[in-house]
Amino acid sequence: MNLVYRSTRNGEETASASEAILKGLTSDGGLFVPDCIPKLGVPLGDLAKMSYQEIAYAVMKEFLTDFTEEELKYCIKNAYDDKFDTKEIAPMVKADGVYFLELFHGATIAFKDMALSILPYLLVTSAKKNHVKNEIVILTATSGDTGKAALAGFADVPGTKIIVFYPKSGVSPIQEKQMVTQKGDNTYVIGIHGNFDDAQTSVKQMFANKDLAEEMNQAGYQFSSANSINIGRLVPQIVYYVKAYGDMLKNGALKEGEPMNVVVPTGNFGNILASFYAKQMGIPIGKFICASNKNKVLFDFFRTGSYDRRREFYVTTSPSMDILISSNLERMIYRITGNNPEKCAEFMQALTKDGVYTITEEMKKGLSEFYGGYATEEETAEKIREVYEKDHYVMDTHTAVAAVAYDKYKAETGDETPSVIASTASPYKFTRSVMDAIHPGSEDATDFELVDKLKEISGVEVPKAIEEIRTAPILHTTECDIDKMEDEVKKILGIS
């Protein structure tokens, strides 16, 4: 039976999995959600013996029900291959009394690689299944990591173009260089004079612009998204937590059926939502510890029930989480309204119009499995230093935010359930911040001098993704104001 996907804002708008992947957003600006979360068809005990690719198939076949076995296995085989620098794809490492699931061993050394390695294959397959003749234009806003991972995934993929907008002053130097040196005749990178929320809002407006869609259609184009608002991004993320449970069984941290907690550093709420979906599939998970940086809009939401983006925006050392509008939270709001699209749409309209919404006490009960935590900049740096000195394990700033939130959760609750932290980026992606924490006094060093210093003190090899950009020429230099983003898209597509 094919799983039906439905709009969070309009119960009448439905799609198959492949249609939802193609569209990205619903026509009313909502997100596609499955009518139900399917159960995993594999006994928990078997997970410890399965490869990442086998678990990926077991999870994705339940959600992508209009893909044939051959189509889905083709996508998985091509996505999870030797572009990852570890055989395990996502190895688990124990340090500081917790398990770190390292999701950063792909082509761009961030967790986004895990889903964005497969999305191009899912998208191209979806286009064929639905007899799409138009060229697919991937339109994406990034707070740092999605952009490069999407660019790497879609570079020179036939029948696609990819346009990435990023906040010019809101990403790390390494993140920026990764994007602006991206090769590929179909890749376009634009720095905006604004923050990630500005970029994401403008991208959503372009998706919802029916006049623009018609202009593009006349010219032989149509939009799709590589952000985690696309279920083709979200579904592959569920695999992380199913795989993590298998690892916890394999290493003896858990017995079959015992719960684990998960700790996820998040800004857009996609990665932690994937862990929640994993639990609905049957993975025993106790608490979902949602870790925020200084932009703690999600922390405040879990504490008060009010989502309020009317606050100062901070640029931090964990820039991929510098977000005040957590798009994927809409899928959770839809769920705790009792799958009520009218009510969900009201909340989202209030957020757009007034900048705030407040859920009911009854809805709050639907969030009882979540714990909101956050880390200050000082706490983040201190945690990096502490774990390096104690266990000689080097983590990046985003992972450190999660580790701080986990410490606070344990201190507050006394919960000793074995826990997994989603380690979302290599420390080499944020070398300056990491080195400032563990080896202060290198302010005058270049970013690549710091890369070499980090290798020297940590003993961890410099990833290929970093070596490749040392001397790579800058290929993308376009910048624009927020109100000119649509003009830039039209210029690229030759429809201005």
Side-chain angles (χ1 to χ4, degrees):
M1 191 177 75
N2 277 354
L3 190 60
V4 174
Y5 287 80
R6 203 172 293 275
S7 169
T8 51
R9 302 185 193 182
N10 174 9
E12 299 304 307
E13 183 172 354
T14 62
S16 67
S18 64
E19 289 167 342
I21 289 169
L22 272 175
K23 289 178 181 175
L25 276 172
T26 65
S27 59
D28 52 14
L31 306 185
F32 283 110
V33 286
D35 260 356
C36 65
I37 305 298
K39 293 299 180 187
L40 190 67
V42 174
L44 291 178
D46 288 1
L47 296 174
K49 300 172 278 195
M50 293 168 70
S51 68
Y52 191 90
Q53 293 86 341
E54 289 168 336
I55 292 173
Y57 179 71
V59 170
M60 290 189 216
K61 78 182 180 75
E62 303 297 344
F63 284 91
L64 309 182
T65 49
D66 62 334
F67 283 68
T68 67
E69 179 178 351
E70 183 185 13
E71 286 169 340
L72 192 49
K73 284 186 172 175
Y74 168 82
C75 293
I76 289 167
K77 178 173 175 285
N78 283 279
Y80 303 116
D81 57 10
D82 59 8
K83 69 173 73 69
F84 289 83
D85 64 18
T86 51
K87 188 182 173 190
E88 265 197 86
I89 306 289
M92 192 176 287
V93 177
K94 188 176 186 185
D96 196 36
V98 67
Y99 294 88
F100 291 87
L101 183 67
E102 294 188 341
L103 299 169
F104 55 75
H105 291 282
T108 77
I109 56 175
F111 84 101
K112 308 288 174 79
D113 290 323
M114 306 292 290
L116 282 163
S117 291
I118 195 166
L119 182 60
Y121 295 99
L122 295 176
L123 194 66
V124 170
T125 304
S126 296
K128 283 179 188 162
K129 291 174 82 66
N130 289 278
H131 312 294
V132 170
K133 299 288 188 284
N134 284 345
E135 190 163 358
I136 307 290
V137 179
I138 306 298
L139 189 64
T140 292
T142 184
S143 55
D145 286 338
T146 287
K148 174 58 182 179
L151 287 161
F154 281 95
D156 292 324
V157 170
T160 69
K161 279 184 169 56
I162 176 162
I163 305 170
V164 169
F165 290 99
Y166 74 97
K168 180 66 184 160
S169 302
V171 299
S172 80
I174 295 285
Q175 283 178 311
E176 182 171 44
K177 188 146 193 210
Q178 281 189 304
M179 286 189 280
V180 298
T181 58
Q182 176 65 52
K183 296 174 184 172
D185 291 340
N186 64 337
T187 63
Y188 304 87
V189 180
I190 300 166
I192 66 152
H193 306 141
N195 61 41
F196 169 74
D197 289 325
D198 297 324
Q200 180 167 253
T201 299
S202 187
V203 162
K204 282 185 169 181
Q205 287 168 349
M206 282 188 263
F207 269 98
N209 185 331
K210 290 182 169 52
D211 292 337
L212 178 59
E214 182 52 35
E215 278 186 79
M216 289 179 59
N217 187 49
Q218 293 292 331
Y221 297 113
Q222 68 188 65
F223 281 141
S224 190
S225 171
N227 285 88
S228 57
I229 53 177
N230 190 320
I231 62 104
R233 262 283 304 279
L234 186 59
V235 168
Q237 292 188 108
I238 301 168
V239 180
Y240 313 161
Y241 302 100
V242 180
K243 193 265 183 191
Y245 194 80
D247 283 353
M248 294 290 271
L249 293 177
K250 189 160 54 178
N251 64 26
L254 293 173
K255 292 190 176 69
E256 187 176 337
E258 289 181 338
M260 66 180 185
N261 291 336
V262 296
V263 192
V264 186
T266 190
N268 222 3
F269 205 73
N271 198 358
I272 196 162
L273 180 67
S275 67
F276 179 79
Y277 282 1
K279 179 171 184 174
Q280 306 312 302
M281 290 194 84
I283 299 302
I285 298 175
K287 276 285 183 181
F288 303 93
I289 299 157
C290 179
S292 301
N293 64 14
K294 196 175 180 181
N295 293 295
K296 55 188 183 70
V297 65
L298 284 167
F299 169 81
D300 292 338
F301 170 69
F302 283 117
R303 293 293 161 120
T304 67
S306 285
Y307 192 98
D308 190 347
R309 65 176 173 84
R310 304 167 303 176
R311 60 181 69 207
E312 189 173 348
F313 178 90
Y314 297 103
V315 176
T316 74
T317 55
S318 47
S320 298
M321 298 159 68
D322 291 346
I323 293 172
L324 295 181
I325 303 173
S326 305
S327 285
N328 266 290
L329 186 61
E330 179 170 343
R331 287 183 164 113
M332 198 69 202
I333 295 298
Y334 174 79
R335 182 184 179 89
I336 61 176
T337 61
N339 298 344
N340 183 328
E342 290 81 18
K343 194 69 183 164
C344 185
E346 278 178 35
F347 285 122
M348 296 308 117
Q349 284 157 9
L351 185 64
T352 300
K353 182 169 168 282
D354 306 320
V356 61
Y357 63 81
T358 302
I359 62 174
T360 65
E361 288 300 316
E362 189 60 32
M363 288 170 68
K364 269 194 207 175
K365 292 175 187 170
L367 298 173
S368 60
E369 296 159 292
F370 287 85
Y371 170 93
Y374 81 98
T376 65
E377 290 288 85
E378 295 75 21
E379 288 169 331
T380 301
E382 175 57 34
K383 192 65 185 176
I384 293 170
R385 179 167 54 253
E386 174 198 320
V387 175
Y388 169 72
E389 289 175 353
K390 186 170 76 174
D391 289 338
H392 207 67
Y393 184 71
V394 183
M395 66 179 84
D396 91 295
T397 44
H398 303 74
T399 307
V401 166
V404 171
Y406 176 61
D407 287 348
K408 290 180 178 180
Y409 169 76
K410 277 206 305 181
E412 194 175 309
T413 64
D415 184 359
E416 294 292 333
T417 300
S419 298
V420 173
I421 291 178
S423 183
T424 54
S426 164
Y428 281 106
K429 199 150 195 171
F430 304 94
T431 318
R432 188 168 295 277
S433 299
V434 170
M435 287 298 292
D436 282 348
I438 63 180
H439 203 279
S442 305
E443 293 82 4
D444 297 331
T446 68
D447 284 287
F448 287 104
E449 285 170 344
L450 290 175
V451 163
D452 294 331
K453 186 69 176 171
L454 181 57
K455 178 190 174 184
E456 185 186 313
I457 66 173
S458 70
V460 177
E461 281 300 310
V462 179
K464 190 169 81 171
I466 297 294
E467 293 294 2
E468 284 175 348
I469 62 170
R470 274 187 196 264
T471 56
I474 290 174
L475 303 174
H476 305 275
T477 57
T478 305
E479 296 178 32
C480 76
D481 292 332
I482 301 150
D483 61 353
K484 300 296 182 193
M485 287 171 60
E486 185 176 315
D487 293 342
E488 291 296 332
V489 170
K490 287 182 171 181
K491 199 184 300 179
I492 288 165
L493 302 180
I495 59 173
S496 53

